[in-house]
C-alpha cells in the first residue's frame, strides 16, 4: 500500500459526513396520501429540483476534476524533482566512494613504501 494513502484518508474521512449532509437535497414531498391526478404539480416541482441539483452536481464535479488534475500534475512534478534529486545524490555517493577508494589506496601505497 502506498504510504500517502493513509494520511490522505485520515484527512478526508472526517469531512465525509459534512459533505454528504451539505449535498443531500431536500425534495418536495407530496402532501397527504393522495396520489391521483392532482399530484402532477409536486412531481413537476420534484423534477425541476432534481434538474437543478444535477446541474449543481455537474458544476461541482467539474470543479473537483480541475482540482484533481492540478493536484495530480503537482504530484507528478514533485515526483520528477525527487527522482532527479535522488539520481544526483546517487552520483555524489558514487563519486565519494571512488574518491575514498583512491585515498585508501594511496595511503596503503605510502604506508608500505616506507
Amino acid at each position: 500500500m502506498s504510504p500517502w494513502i493513509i494520511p490522505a484518508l485520515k484527512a478526508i474521512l472526517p469531512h465525509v459526513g459534512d459533505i454528504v449532509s451539505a449535498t443531500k437535497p431536500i425534495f418536495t414531498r407530496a402532501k397527504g396520501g393522495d396520489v391521483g391526478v392532482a399530484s402532477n404539480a409536486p412531481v413537476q416541482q420534484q423534477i425541476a429540483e432534481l434538474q437543478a441539483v444535477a446541474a449543481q452536481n455537474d458544476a461541482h464535479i467539474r470543479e473537483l476534476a480541475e482540482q484533481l488534475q492540478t493536484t495530480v500534475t503537482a504530484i507528478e512534478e514533485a515526483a520528477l524533482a525527487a527522482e532527479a534529486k535522488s539520481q544526483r545524490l546517487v552520483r555524489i555517493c558514487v563519486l565519494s566512494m571512488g574518491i575514498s577508494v583512491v585515498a585508501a589506496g594511496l595511503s596503503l601505497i605510502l604506508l608500505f613504501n616506507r
Side-chain angles (χ1 to χ4, degrees):
M1 182 179 270
S2 298
W4 60 270
I5 290 177
I6 302 230
L9 287 176
K10 285 182 180 179
I12 293 171
L13 287 179
H15 303 289
V16 170
D18 296 333
I19 293 170
V20 170
S21 65
T23 59
K24 184 174 157 185
I26 300 172
F27 297 111
T28 304
R29 306 232 188 263
K31 294 178 176 61
D34 298 335
V35 183
V37 179
S39 67
N40 194 20
V43 170
Q44 293 299 325
Q45 187 175 359
Q46 287 176 342
I47 290 172
E49 289 175 353
L50 285 171
Q51 289 173 340
V53 169
Q56 276 184 335
N57 284 343
D58 182 49
H60 291 295
I61 288 172
R62 288 181 194 277
E63 181 181 340
L64 286 173
E66 290 171 359
Q67 290 176 0
L68 180 62
Q69 184 178 11
T70 304
T71 303
V72 168
T73 303
I75 289 173
E76 287 174 348
E77 289 172 358
L80 289 173
E83 180 67 27
K85 185 176 182 179
S86 174
Q87 288 177 354
R88 188 174 64 238
L89 289 174
V90 166
R91 287 186 195 126
I92 290 171
C93 287
V94 168
L95 180 66
S96 298
M97 288 183 347
I99 291 171
S100 65
V101 166
V102 169
L106 284 174
S107 65
L108 287 175
I109 289 172
L110 290 173
L111 181 68
F112 289 126
N113 282 342
R114 286 191 171 190

